[in-house]
Amino acid sequence: MSWFGQNARDLPWRHSRDPYGIWVSEVMLQQTQVQTVIPYWNRWMTALPTLQDLAGVPEDRLLKLWEGLGYYSRVRNLQRAARAVMHQYHGRIPSQRSTLLELPGVGPYTAGAIASLAFNQPEPLVDGNVARVLSRLNRIEGDPRDSAPRDQLWQLAQGLVTAAGELKSVPSTPMAAGRYSALNQGLMELGATVCLPRNPTCLLCPVSGQCQAHRTGEVDRYPMVRPRVKATRVRYLVAVVTHAGKWWMRKRNVGEINQGLWEFPQLEVTDDPREASISARNWLGVPESQLIPLPRIRHAITRYQITLDVFMVSLKRIPDVIKNGEWVTSEEVGELALTAAHRKIAGSLLPRHN
Ligand code: SF4
């Protein structure tokens, strides 16, 4: 906690103890790096400064504010949870972990983060950073994603919370965070800045004297995360269909992954590029001479390595296979929420919207 008081990074959501801002930051930070999140969070808090604003914002605007962060179920759940708080708790975010856990999309980590960071409740939390620190400090056997090691990590985090409650005094911390807030933020900060996945800077670590992995020279052995599964390669054809200065685009339907996001028509094809070119002709029924190749886009998401073979084609009549869509102007594209890969395509066509 003293180390955190002296080494906490200056992050915008640390300037306030507003539970709404902390909640938004925690959801954004799941699977996204701090430096990426900062501009998103600033923009979000300007556009939707209160929970009430979030509860009432139309979906298109919501998705646009999240565009590029991915995992869109996170933001949909955030809005559902905001609406539940408006209805059930008169707009006041609950401080109790058990109540928070009943909200859509709020799991043990987020509940612990809101309860401890915003309300200084004596609640533990374990995210990837904390799991790494505690695994090394205690030489925890097993992958932290498996139930036995995970339970052990939560118990250790609970033990630290209990110990923090017994301290007679608390070191000074940013925003005069209370002891539980400082403890949990300190653990996460240590994992994010010192106890790094590779080459942790143990010489600067405030708890190196208590670290079992450091003492036995086994830092690289912990946490015992299983190697990632091999990436799956996926290839799509993407048609930028133009007519009279407009583009033909479709909005993903309810039930589809990334529902509500916009994209150019696309077709999943075999990973063999020769077959892909045959499919392009067959797909739209257009002679190859009319297909203008655009730069290939590569994109990675979770375990998928995605290649998009993009081409432009000018068509007055839309083929049946891509008939679900509408014409949009280049100005309108800038306002729509696109999937990350298709934003890259739009960006390459329209640099000013990138
Ligand atoms: Fe992590 Fe090294 Fe500190 Fe142990 S001593 S907690 S491995 S930074």
Side-chain angles (χ1 to χ4, degrees):
M1 288 156 73
S2 330
W3 173 87
F4 177 66
Q6 287 156 20
N7 294 279
R9 288 168 296 175
D10 181 13
L11 304 175
W13 45 89
R14 286 188 175 156
H15 291 193
S16 152
R17 301 229 298 260
D18 168 26
Y20 168 64
I22 289 173
W23 187 358
V24 172
S25 73
E26 287 301 331
V27 177
M28 286 185 172
L29 286 164
Q30 288 164 22
Q31 292 157 316
T32 310
Q33 307 247 333
V34 166
Q35 290 310 319
T36 307
V37 165
I38 290 173
Y40 275 94
W41 187 87
N42 285 331
R43 208 175 49 183
W44 177 287
M45 294 306 288
T46 305
L48 307 174
T50 67
L51 189 86
Q52 193 169 3
D53 296 319
L54 166 58
V57 71
E59 186 186 53
D60 284 348
R61 178 101 181 93
L62 184 75
L63 295 178
K64 184 66 189 166
L65 283 166
W66 201 265
E67 184 191 81
L69 284 175
Y71 306 97
Y72 288 86
S73 57
R74 289 186 293 173
V75 69
R76 286 204 175 83
N77 279 330
L78 188 57
Q79 186 178 50
R80 275 189 213 119
R83 288 175 176 166
V85 171
M86 293 305 297
H87 282 113
Q88 295 170 33
Y89 306 108
H90 310 290
R92 289 174 68 97
I93 296 173
S95 59
Q96 294 302 315
R97 183 177 187 275
S98 55
T99 317
L100 288 162
L101 277 170
E102 288 169 11
L103 296 170
V106 176
Y109 167 74
T110 310
I114 299 170
S116 63
L117 270 52
F119 298 105
N120 194 37
Q121 293 288 307
E123 295 292 351
L125 58 76
V126 178
D127 70 347
N129 284 323
V130 177
R132 186 167 55 255
V133 172
L134 296 181
S135 293
R136 287 171 173 167
L137 276 171
N138 301 282
R139 287 203 300 161
I140 301 296
E141 300 294 313
D143 190 321
R145 292 169 297 190
D146 293 342
S147 64
R150 190 176 62 220
D151 290 350
Q152 223 180 329
L153 290 168
W154 277 90
Q155 280 164 20
L156 286 164
Q158 177 63 62
L160 292 175
V161 165
T162 305
E166 290 162 0
L167 288 176
K168 287 208 170 58
S169 64
V170 182
S172 75
T173 51
M175 288 301 298
R179 61 183 70 202
Y180 305 110
S181 172
L183 169 72
N184 285 341
Q185 289 193 75
L187 282 169
M188 291 193 284
E189 193 80 346
L190 192 63
T193 63
V194 175
C195 192
L196 301 167
R198 256 169 271 152
N199 303 323
T201 46
C202 300
L203 284 175
L204 301 176
C205 178
V207 290
S208 58
Q210 290 110 298
C211 180
Q212 294 183 29
H214 180 57
R215 193 165 57 233
T216 57
E218 294 176 296
V219 167
D220 293 342
R221 197 163 170 255
Y222 300 94
M224 293 182 160
V225 181
R226 280 186 298 277
R228 284 167 181 255
V229 288
K230 213 164 153 269
T232 305
R233 291 226 284 257
V234 192
R235 183 179 288 271
Y236 289 94
L237 294 176
V238 180
V240 178
V241 179
T242 63
H243 177 62
K246 294 184 177 178
W247 293 335
W248 184 253
M249 299 191 76
R250 74 180 278 267
K251 189 176 183 178
R252 288 199 178 184
N253 293 322
V254 175
E256 284 186 85
I257 295 172
N258 293 335
Q259 72 177 60
L261 269 72
W262 288 77
E263 64 187 8
F264 298 98
Q266 66 175 15
L267 175 73
E268 186 172 350
V269 292
T270 152
D271 198 33
D272 181 339
R274 283 166 308 169
E275 288 192 37
S277 89
I278 297 167
S279 308
R281 268 199 326 258
N282 298 347
W283 178 33
L284 300 181
V286 176
E288 198 153 350
S289 57
Q290 288 186 28
L291 308 176
I292 304 164
L294 295 175
R296 176 173 286 165
I297 301 280
R298 292 187 198 282
H299 183 69
I301 182 158
T302 58
R303 65 187 178 86
Y304 294 100
Q305 280 180 359
I306 303 167
T307 304
L308 302 177
D309 286 321
V310 191
F311 59 87
M312 186 180 273
V313 57
S314 176
L315 295 176
K316 260 194 227 158
R317 201 192 136 268
I318 295 298
D320 282 352
V321 282
I322 57 167
K323 69 176 187 301
N324 293 326
E326 55 189 271
W327 292 110
V328 294
T329 65
S330 54
E331 285 74 25
E332 286 164 343
V333 170
E335 298 300 314
L336 302 177
L338 272 58
T339 59
H342 286 244
R343 173 56 62 196
K344 283 187 192 171
I345 298 171
S348 71
L349 296 166
L350 269 185
R352 68 179 180 279
H353 286 303
N354 198 2

